[in-house]
Amino acid sequence: MKTQVEKDRVVIFDTTLRDGEQSPGATMTHEEKLEIAELLDDMGVDIIEAGFPIASEGDFKAVSEIAERSKTAVICGLARANFGDIDRCWDAVRNSNKPRIHTFIGTSPLHRAIPNLDKDEMAEKIHDTVTHARNLCDNIQWSPMDATRTEHDYLCRVVEISIKAGATTINIPDTVGYTAPLESADLIKMLIEKVPGADEVIFATHCHNDLGMATANSLAAVEGGARQIECTINGLGERAGNTALEEVVMALKVRGDIMPFYTNINTSKIMNISRRVASVSGFPVQFNKAIVGKNAFAHESGIHQDGMLKNSETFEIMRPEDVGLSATNLVLGKHSGRAALRSKLEELGYNLADNQLKDVFVRFKELADRKKEVYDEDLIALMQAGEDAVNDHIVLNELRVVCGTNGPQEAVMTLTVGGLESSTTATGDGPVDATFNAVQALYQHNAHLQLYQVHAVTEGTDAQATVSVRMEEDGNIATGQSADTDTVVASAKAYINALNRLFIRRGKIGQNKREVNWKDVS
Ligand code: KIV
Ligand code: ZN
């Protein structure tokens, strides 16, 4: 029998490193995965889905190392419904203090057709694979993929089989983001009422955001009896993404009056991890994104500002500090010293060794010379831009761009590639096109530009621009980022950063590349 406390506690299962990282272009390096796992563990995430061990050597290594290093969180790996996947997953998570195997199979009519199994054959496969997993590990999660489009009687049947075979958590995925809140609540309620043994397990909800309802559907599932929410930082994930961790956690915290549930998340860590995930995945957070968007706590209009000054509760339902935003955006400038910079960076979640601080301080001074006021966002952009700079294969030495109303624009560029310096002049349809053409002339490559995005970090004509560039080469995708007060320079550096990442990745093919199609569940 669950106690009252357990009854009201919602377990947070984070899948940023698995479902989030699966999103095209969001691939993270090994070190980045370890860092994000540590931040998730520190913020109180109950279960970290660290990867899909059979997918590649790189995934296996990352899950194994996260399992070995984890402090408090359960470490989970994903496995399709076959013994090979499950064994590999167990090998990766077994060294965690608290390992979990998560195995799944698509149960809806469309998904049953892929391995060409009839209902009985699939039921037998579920029984055999969950039994096999349970013989290895006593913490087993089972998911009927595309559950929200599976016939209810068949869903009840396979959930019962998996519970009898030893599953301890039953996850009900809305794989294609199809369900709606009332339906989401009713589905969980129906399963709890109808399936024998349902009160012995925890039901989880795993929603995708294709119709923008992932957060609402997850919270409704909790109302229906689910006590585990699967989510990702910033809602990262395939297509429109997964349920955003920060949204469900803050909704439960702020609206405890009507949703009397709680989580173990230390919400003051939200902003820091959101920034790190945005940076390492190369997926910037939209400005008006709930909780973690740049404008989420900004009050622009006169009426709002007036109200805020009189009583912040007039327009604010949560305090910025609750999510880890500093109450004051202390501005630094060219007279600020090293101690002020260190303290500001620590507040933003960057703890630097002395030699790192020395390097950042030089770059900070360069920026402060060009820009009168350096805001938090400028420092974050500066930190993110500096992450890949060391030991780069391609380095931008100089760029001069000539613009005119009657074009074509011209870029004069000097690059160092593999230690050799060379220069060229290239033209293009606009300054960025000319710049990219110059890079192509000096470093010939077959990578295709998939995405080019520019954001102004702060307001004003001296604002820094952050640029994201996503490139694809032979199925490898890399995202480069950079920031500069000059948009064209930031574009050149972001483009070169993506090429450097592809260069590294090329040397590691087989280690980072997914070798199996995770959807191939036969
Ligand atoms: O969306 C989904 O169905 C999944 C499963 C693997 C749980 O991510
Ligand atoms: Zn998913």
Side-chain angles (χ1 to χ4, degrees):
M1 190 67 193
K2 290 172 192 145
T3 64
Q4 183 66 25
V5 174
E6 280 175 328
K7 221 169 106 286
D8 299 340
R9 173 147 123 79
V10 175
V11 167
I12 296 296
F13 176 108
D14 182 277
T15 184
T16 306
L17 297 173
R18 198 279 298 168
D19 221 344
E21 210 250 350
Q22 219 163 274
S23 172
T27 318
M28 300 173 199
T29 66
H30 184 74
E31 286 67 31
E32 288 165 348
K33 289 181 191 173
L34 297 186
E35 184 200 340
I36 299 300
E38 195 178 334
L39 293 175
L40 291 168
D41 207 350
D42 282 349
M43 84 187 293
V45 161
D46 300 281
I47 302 138
I48 299 172
E49 188 163 53
F52 184 16
I54 197 85
S56 69
E57 270 308 310
D59 266 43
F60 179 83
K61 230 176 107 215
V63 179
S64 312
E65 211 164 320
I66 290 168
E68 277 160 25
R69 291 174 174 217
S70 59
K71 289 178 236 148
T72 316
V74 171
I75 303 300
C76 174
L78 184 69
R80 293 167 301 180
N82 66 63
F83 290 4
D85 270 39
I86 292 168
D87 291 346
R88 188 78 173 143
C89 179
W90 174 236
D91 277 347
V93 297
R94 65 188 306 163
N95 287 331
S96 158
N97 296 328
K98 300 181 200 163
R100 172 181 291 192
I101 296 173
H102 175 193
T103 180
F104 74 99
I105 194 162
T107 51
S108 66
L110 283 166
H111 283 270
R112 289 200 302 268
I114 298 171
N116 197 19
L117 295 178
D118 68 21
K119 285 183 175 172
D120 292 338
E121 288 164 338
M122 181 164 282
E124 194 181 329
K125 195 175 176 79
I126 291 165
H127 170 268
D128 293 350
T129 50
V130 175
T131 305
H132 181 74
R134 183 57 201 253
N135 285 336
L136 299 170
C137 178
D138 60 11
N139 189 339
I140 301 301
Q141 173 163 327
W142 180 73
S143 295
M145 187 165 72
D146 206 14
T148 53
R149 293 193 299 168
T150 300
E151 306 91 323
H152 284 192
D153 56 343
Y154 189 59
L155 191 61
C156 287
R157 179 178 164 197
V158 288
V159 166
E160 183 180 350
I161 288 172
S162 70
I163 294 174
K164 285 202 174 121
T168 43
T169 297
I170 303 295
N171 176 37
I172 302 300
D174 183 30
T175 306
V176 290
Y178 180 70
T179 200
L182 289 179
E183 192 180 56
S184 175
D186 285 348
L187 185 61
I188 302 284
K189 226 182 279 168
M190 182 277 292
L191 288 166
I192 292 175
E193 273 165 21
K194 287 202 176 155
V195 175
D199 54 349
E200 302 298 321
V201 298
I202 289 201
F203 277 85
T205 176
H206 175 113
C207 299
H208 282 264
N209 204 29
D210 299 65
L211 292 173
M213 293 194 281
T215 295
N217 288 337
S218 302
L219 295 172
V222 170
E223 300 279 5
R227 288 294 178 271
Q228 175 177 304
I229 295 180
E230 307 212 350
C231 45
T232 59
I233 302 293
N234 299 340
L236 192 68
E238 287 205 84
R239 309 185 309 279
N242 289 59
T243 302
L245 179 146
E246 63 277 8
E247 292 178 14
V248 284
V249 166
M250 289 311 291
L252 290 176
K253 186 169 166 138
V254 173
R255 297 311 311 273
D257 55 333
I258 54 160
M259 293 182 282
F261 308 103
Y262 69 97
T263 73
N264 266 2
I265 299 295
N266 176 350
T267 61
S268 71
K269 308 254 180 181
I270 285 177
M271 273 321 293
N272 180 33
I273 192 163
S274 161
R275 288 174 182 139
R276 291 304 296 142
V277 168
S279 168
V280 302
S281 67
F283 275 58
V285 175
Q286 92 195 37
F287 282 7
N288 58 344
K289 162 87 179 60
I291 317 294
V292 291
K294 179 175 177 291
N295 292 353
F297 290 90
H299 300 274
E300 203 67 59
S301 86
I303 297 174
H304 283 216
Q305 285 181 349
D306 188 48
M308 284 294 294
L309 288 173
K310 290 185 177 128
N311 178 356
S312 65
E313 283 180 23
T314 46
F315 288 104
E316 220 163 58
I317 55 167
M318 49 199 156
R319 294 173 313 154
E321 304 90 279
D322 293 343
V323 300
L325 266 178
S326 53
T328 57
N329 192 348
L330 175 70
V331 182
L332 300 184
K334 68 175 175 189
H335 299 299
S336 305
R338 216 173 278 206
L341 179 66
R342 183 193 284 281
S343 138
K344 190 54 165 169
L345 287 172
E346 277 172 6
E347 204 181 291
L348 296 173
Y350 296 96
N351 294 306
L352 302 187
D354 287 347
N355 59 334
Q356 289 171 310
L357 183 70
K358 212 167 131 195
D359 166 58
V360 173
F361 190 65
V362 172
R363 290 192 289 124
F364 160 73
K365 283 285 178 186
E366 281 167 11
L367 177 64
D369 273 340
R370 281 181 285 142
K371 194 173 184 300
K372 227 169 67 208
E373 293 170 321
V374 179
Y375 295 93
D376 291 3
E377 292 84 354
D378 290 315
L379 288 177
I380 293 162
L382 186 84
M383 294 303 295
Q384 291 172 353
E387 274 164 11
D388 290 308
V390 191
N391 300 328
D392 276 346
H393 182 64
I394 315 161
V395 179
L396 176 68
N397 299 343
E398 211 193 321
L399 173 64
R400 255 179 312 114
V401 177
V402 182
C403 291
T405 41
N406 295 322
Q409 280 67 31
E410 197 177 82
V412 184
M413 179 180 283
T414 305
L415 287 188
T416 299
V417 180
L420 294 177
E421 193 178 271
S422 53
S423 303
T424 194
T425 299
T427 55
D429 188 5
V432 174
D433 192 44
T435 300
F436 287 8
N437 287 342
V439 176
Q440 171 73 270
L442 295 172
Y443 176 72
Q444 296 194 352
H445 59 85
N446 295 319
H448 303 285
L449 183 68
Q450 283 195 331
L451 174 98
Y452 168 70
Q453 244 173 10
V454 184
H455 290 293
V457 175
T458 53
E459 288 76 31
T461 50
D462 68 346
Q464 285 199 98
T466 52
V467 177
S468 298
V469 169
R470 192 159 79 215
M471 312 277 293
E472 185 271 339
E473 182 189 54
D474 298 333
N476 274 313
I477 294 173
T479 303
Q481 282 186 319
S482 193
D484 200 281
T485 47
D486 184 320
T487 310
V488 183
V489 172
S491 304
K493 287 183 182 167
Y495 187 71
I496 290 169
N497 182 223
L499 290 173
N500 276 320
R501 285 178 160 235
L502 279 175
F503 180 79
I504 295 169
R505 209 152 287 168
R506 220 177 293 138
K508 290 185 180 171
I509 287 187
Q511 227 187 25
N512 276 332
K513 201 173 165 185
R514 290 187 186 280
E515 283 151 5
V516 298
N517 177 0
W518 75 284
K519 287 191 177 110
D520 170 18
V521 291
S522 57

